[in-house]
């Protein structure tokens, strides 16, 4: 006990002196004093069901395919899977147009298949997170079909209907984020309905309490089916100004040729937070977690999503992190410091089904594997919960369509060639080097890129230097080392332009992380010996990165993650 407190004091002194001698500008984040909730220790993994694993060989992934890969995910170090929408849907936006919230699309299987997936996942300690499309439904949802049938129908006010401003003139100037006016005229009742996304995705009217009740009930229904939480889709656009004021134009046109607007009247309205609180209360009844698709302009906006009393989303995603699209230690330091200062639990992502793959975004074309390892060594060792994107762990690359006729994503079809759509980041998971990367014996719905021959699960599992082996090493360290699980975050050498380094410390344990974000070898002195540390046991290194006394040598884009000891 006494020895422990001396050691603790020692680490505290070390942190204090490191901060002092490095003239730290960014605040450190203290170690967590409260015991963690399950989702704070979890590594999340987003998978796109169409593209993960195809059990019935029709070219499209399915739930039984996911079940068959649970052992792989467990061994990788995944604790929770977020499945992009798998509910019945006309698939206009590949599932983000839901026509029944309480069922499974036959293309993906049945409710019984879901129950099997849930129970098999539970056996392995893997949580299931579903994607809840809260802003809109499909235009084929029975609520909308009834809504459009007459002005007096039961569900009329479940959506947003208005008269035009004049003949053939929509109610206001709002444009859809997927191109064109956000209003569609419906001749049955001679009114327009509002759709922030495609016309096939009418916005729900969250000002109607009946909508709110129905949607809260959907979450409770899935909690009973063993779901551990939701990723809430498109929360920013839940509410619109009831007076439908025109948005101010900021000048210029977007990829769809529409005037660019400042969306002050149809985005991020304060009423959103009342809904978040209600969804959270329902989640709390089941110890569930809410993850938010929260595209924010700054940390203050992100902070609001946690709720003033931490009573909204536990995990709003920090997309500002993904806007640091270059290997810049200074920009990353600043971003980490500001999210830590927000007081909420940080949620880091490198990519998802709407964003070009991190392998290409950060890669320089020559050292992409080393850079993929660098990014793994980085965001998986920060204080916060990471959300991986399927295939990132094997260095999957983006595979954008080359011709308009090959594009599947309607955004790409509408705005080609300015916008190629999101097919590139949604291609089939690369399981092995056989035809179609072992995803399916049928032609997959999207083509696999040629790199599947070198970047696939089966081959990378055999290679100790692969991207996959490195992910496994880092994830193992993350799950077993208390400093990485509960530790504080203290930035080191804050003026270094090439190496991002930091310390994670908890009680008498500490881990040093040093990441070379440059293409040249770097040697950094982190002055550990003056503070009583004589050795560092590597937990995960990439390249020939090593430590000698106080000096850490990092290969171009090399990573050193080591446990400090006396
Ligand atoms: C979210 C989804 C995106 C979808 C959109 C409309 O942004 O991530 O894929 O197209 O919502 O539901």
């Amino acid at each position: 006990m006494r020895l422990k407190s001396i050691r603790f004091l020692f680490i505290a002194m070390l942190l204090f002196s490191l901060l002092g001698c490095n003239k730290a500008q960014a605040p450190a984040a203290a170690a967590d004093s409260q015991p963690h909730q399950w989702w704070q220790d979890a590594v999340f993994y987003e998978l796109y069901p169409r593209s993960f694993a195809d059990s019935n060989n029709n070219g499209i992934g399915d739930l039984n395919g996911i079940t068959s890969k649970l052992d792989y995910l467990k061994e990788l170090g995944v604790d929770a899977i977020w499945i992009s929408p798998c509910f019945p849907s006309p698939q206009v936006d590949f599932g983000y147009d839901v026509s029944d919230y309480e069922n499974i699309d036959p293309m993906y299987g049945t409710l019984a298949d879901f129950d099997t997936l849930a129970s098999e996942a539970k056996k392995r300690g893997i949580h299931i997170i579903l994607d809840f499309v809260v802003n809109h439904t499909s235009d084929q949802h029975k609520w909308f079909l009834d809504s459009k049938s007459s002005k007096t129908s039961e569900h009329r006010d479940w959506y947003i209907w208005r008269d035009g401003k004049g003949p053939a003139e929509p109610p206001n100037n709002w444009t859809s984020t997927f191109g064109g006016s956000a209003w569609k005229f419906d001749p049955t009742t001679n009114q327009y309905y509002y759709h922030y996304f495609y016309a096939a995705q009418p916005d729900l009217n969250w000002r109607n309490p009946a909508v709110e009740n129905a949607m809260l009930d959907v979450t409770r229904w899935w909690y009973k089916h063993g779901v551990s939480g939701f990723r809430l889709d498109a929360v920013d656009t839940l509410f619109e100004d009831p007076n439908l004021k025109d948005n101010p134009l900021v000048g210029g046109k977007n990829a769809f040729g529409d005037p660019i607007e400042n969306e002050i009247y149809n985005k991020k309205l304060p009423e959103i937070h009342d809904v978040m609180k209600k969804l959270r209360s329902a989640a709390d009844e089941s110890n569930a977690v809410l993850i938010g698709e929260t595209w924010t302009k700054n940390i203050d906006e992100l902070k609001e999503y946690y709720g003033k009393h931490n009573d909204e989303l536990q995990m709003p995603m920090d997309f500002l992190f993904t806007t640091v699209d270059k290997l810049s230690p200074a920009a990353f330091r600043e971003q980490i410091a500001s999210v830590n200062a927000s007081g909420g639990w940080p949620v880091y992502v490198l990519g998802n089904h709407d964003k070009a793959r991190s392998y290409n975004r950060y890669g320089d074309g020559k050292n992409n594997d080393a850079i993929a390892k660098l990014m793994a060594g980085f965001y998986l060792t920060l204080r916060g919960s990471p959300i991986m994107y399927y295939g990132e762990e094997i260095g999957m690359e983006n595979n954008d369509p080359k011709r308009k006729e090959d594009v599947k994503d309607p955004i790409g079809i509408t705005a080609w060639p300015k916008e190629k759509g999101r097919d590139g980041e949604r291609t089939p998971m690369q399981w092995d080097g056989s035809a179609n990367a072992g995803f399916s014996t049928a032609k997959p719905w999207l083509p696999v890129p040629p790199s599947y021959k070198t970047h696939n699960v089966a081959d990378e599992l055999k290679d100790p230097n692969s991207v996959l082996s490195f992910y496994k090493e880092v994830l193992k360290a993350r799950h077993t080392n208390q400093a990485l699980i509960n530790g504080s975050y203290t930035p080191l050498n804050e003026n270094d332009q090439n190496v991002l380094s930091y310390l994670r410390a908890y009680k008498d344990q500490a881990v040093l992380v040093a990441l070379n974000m440059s293409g040249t070898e770097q040697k950094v002195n982190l002055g550990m010996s003056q503070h009583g540390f004589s050795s560092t046991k590597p937990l995960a290194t990439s390249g020939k990165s090593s430590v000698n006394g106080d000096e850490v040598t990092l290969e171009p884009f090399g990573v050193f993650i080591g446990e400090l000891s006396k």
Side-chain angles (χ1 to χ4, degrees):
M1 192 60 192
R2 224 176 100 79
L3 191 67
K4 264 199 165 170
S5 0
I6 293 171
R7 279 214 209 124
F8 179 60
L9 196 69
F10 212 76
I11 298 262
M13 279 165 62
L14 162 80
L15 289 178
F16 186 72
S17 353
L18 282 175
L19 278 168
C21 70
N22 288 302
K23 295 196 178 53
Q25 296 136 359
D32 302 312
S33 49
Q34 299 294 318
H36 277 182
Q37 303 286 321
W38 69 265
W39 44 268
Q40 289 179 289
D41 291 341
V43 170
F44 290 75
Y45 184 99
E46 178 193 359
L47 58 87
Y48 202 64
R50 280 182 98 83
S51 295
F52 194 61
D54 179 13
S55 74
N56 61 356
N57 286 310
N58 65 353
I60 294 175
D62 45 56
L63 295 189
N64 289 338
I66 300 173
T67 308
S68 73
K69 301 296 182 186
L70 287 172
D71 286 336
Y72 163 74
L73 293 168
K74 183 71 196 167
E75 219 188 292
L76 172 62
V78 167
D79 308 293
I81 51 175
W82 146 28
I83 307 173
S84 299
C86 51
F87 318 103
S89 160
Q91 305 288 334
V92 172
D93 191 15
F94 299 111
Y96 283 96
D97 46 324
V98 178
S99 54
D100 179 358
Y101 287 102
E102 295 177 357
N103 213 330
I104 296 294
D105 193 298
M107 175 197 294
Y108 294 130
T110 61
L111 260 181
D113 294 334
F114 178 84
D115 290 338
T116 306
L117 168 62
S119 72
E120 288 300 314
K122 193 167 180 199
K123 275 187 207 157
R124 292 162 179 82
I126 296 179
H127 295 266
I128 294 187
I129 307 295
L130 290 182
D131 206 321
F132 192 25
V133 187
V134 280
N135 177 69
H136 48 268
T137 67
S138 157
D139 62 352
Q140 299 306 307
H141 195 292
K142 62 178 188 219
W143 299 339
F144 187 73
L145 293 177
D146 179 56
S147 183
K148 70 184 272 194
S149 66
S150 93
K151 280 189 176 171
T152 54
S153 71
E154 184 195 338
H155 294 89
R156 182 62 172 183
D157 193 37
W158 283 44
Y159 296 84
I160 297 155
W161 292 97
R162 290 289 191 285
D163 290 330
K165 249 188 192 164
E169 232 196 302
N172 66 14
N173 74 347
W174 299 350
T175 50
S176 156
T177 196
F178 288 166
S181 168
W183 295 96
K184 182 161 179 192
F185 182 73
D186 191 59
T188 317
T189 54
N190 286 324
Q191 280 197 316
Y192 288 81
Y193 68 86
Y194 174 66
H195 57 91
Y196 185 77
F197 296 93
Y198 297 121
Q201 295 166 299
D203 273 50
L204 282 162
N205 175 17
W206 276 87
R207 294 187 191 278
N208 181 342
V211 167
E212 188 181 281
N213 285 339
M215 294 298 266
L216 286 170
D217 280 352
V218 169
T219 68
R220 293 196 182 97
W221 193 87
W222 280 110
Y223 292 141
K224 284 195 199 117
H225 275 265
V227 161
S228 300
F230 290 95
R231 175 263 189 187
L232 303 178
D233 182 67
V235 289
D236 294 341
T237 48
L238 279 194
F239 284 88
E240 299 75 29
D241 168 42
N243 300 319
L244 304 186
K245 288 202 193 102
D246 277 351
N247 279 327
L249 302 183
V250 295
K253 296 209 165 161
N254 62 21
F256 302 98
D258 298 322
I260 302 178
E261 295 179 359
N262 185 3
E263 296 170 307
I264 52 174
Y265 292 117
N266 57 345
K267 232 178 175 179
K268 301 206 175 94
L269 267 61
E271 292 90 327
I272 295 171
H273 297 285
D274 302 330
V275 171
M276 296 300 109
K277 286 193 188 87
K278 288 179 183 157
L279 287 165
R280 174 64 183 276
S281 295
D284 283 347
E285 291 161 19
S286 296
N287 190 23
V289 70
L290 296 179
I291 303 173
E293 191 203 10
T294 38
W295 295 97
T296 61
K297 282 201 225 79
N298 51 47
I299 285 294
D300 288 339
E301 276 185 10
L302 185 71
K303 197 172 165 176
E304 284 180 24
Y305 276 113
Y306 289 105
K308 285 208 177 62
H309 306 285
N310 274 323
D311 51 357
E312 297 188 28
L313 307 180
Q314 298 101 317
M315 291 179 56
M317 289 187 240
D318 175 16
F319 286 120
L320 294 161
F321 192 80
T322 67
T323 59
V324 183
D325 249 2
K326 52 185 187 294
L327 297 177
S328 160
F332 278 124
R333 259 179 226 124
E334 200 186 315
Q335 186 50 36
I336 297 162
S338 62
V339 80
N340 278 331
S342 79
W345 181 250
V347 181
Y348 295 110
V349 282
L350 294 183
N352 64 25
H353 63 287
D354 295 326
K355 204 158 171 73
R357 282 191 175 271
S358 56
Y359 190 77
N360 301 80
R361 290 204 337 274
Y362 296 103
D364 63 357
K366 276 194 245 141
N367 301 286
N368 284 21
D369 281 8
I371 295 171
K373 292 179 194 172
L374 175 81
M375 294 311 286
F378 178 28
Y379 91 120
L380 300 176
T381 60
L382 286 171
R383 177 182 163 275
S385 298
I387 306 182
M388 297 168 59
Y389 184 49
Y390 81 97
E392 179 186 283
E393 75 275 22
I394 53 170
M396 256 172 79
E397 65 178 359
N398 232 65
N399 192 31
D400 280 334
K402 313 278 175 304
R403 309 174 311 169
K404 186 177 176 185
E405 52 270 42
D406 297 331
V407 181
K408 299 277 193 302
D409 181 8
I411 304 181
I413 299 172
T414 319
W416 185 272
K418 280 195 182 146
E419 164 68 63
K420 296 199 165 101
R422 299 163 292 181
D423 295 353
E425 55 263 32
R426 298 172 174 182
T427 59
M429 178 68 176
Q430 297 163 192
W431 292 106
D432 60 39
S434 70
N436 304 326
F439 165 74
S440 177
T441 53
K443 187 176 174 220
W445 76 286
L446 283 175
V448 292
S451 63
Y452 81 93
K453 288 275 183 205
T454 50
H455 290 73
N456 63 65
V457 172
D459 289 337
E460 289 191 44
L461 280 176
K462 287 184 228 139
D463 174 2
N465 293 317
S466 65
V467 177
L468 180 57
S469 295
F470 190 69
Y471 260 88
K472 287 180 74 172
E473 245 177 274
V474 178
L475 287 172
K476 186 168 171 216
R478 190 193 158 94
H479 282 106
T480 48
N481 188 292
Q482 281 304 313
L484 288 177
I485 298 171
N486 287 304
S488 56
Y489 162 88
T490 305
L492 302 174
N493 282 12
E494 286 201 79
N495 294 324
D496 198 313
Q497 302 291 313
N498 298 308
V499 177
L500 179 66
S501 50
Y502 47 89
L503 202 69
R504 301 283 319 275
Y506 181 69
K507 296 193 174 163
D508 57 353
Q509 297 186 26
V511 166
L512 171 76
V513 180
L515 307 149
N516 181 1
M517 297 204 158
S518 81
T520 52
E521 187 186 89
Q522 300 289 325
K523 283 184 193 300
V524 277
N525 189 313
L526 296 169
M528 282 126 17
S529 63
Q530 345 160 7
H531 306 288
F533 285 98
S534 56
S535 66
T536 312
K537 184 181 127 211
L539 289 172
T541 59
S542 98
K544 291 195 195 75
S545 304
S546 60
V547 67
N548 183 4
D550 283 355
E551 194 172 66
V552 180
T553 305
L554 297 160
E555 272 204 338
F557 306 111
V559 177
F560 181 85
I561 304 168
E563 206 168 46
L564 297 180
S565 59
K566 287 197 266 173

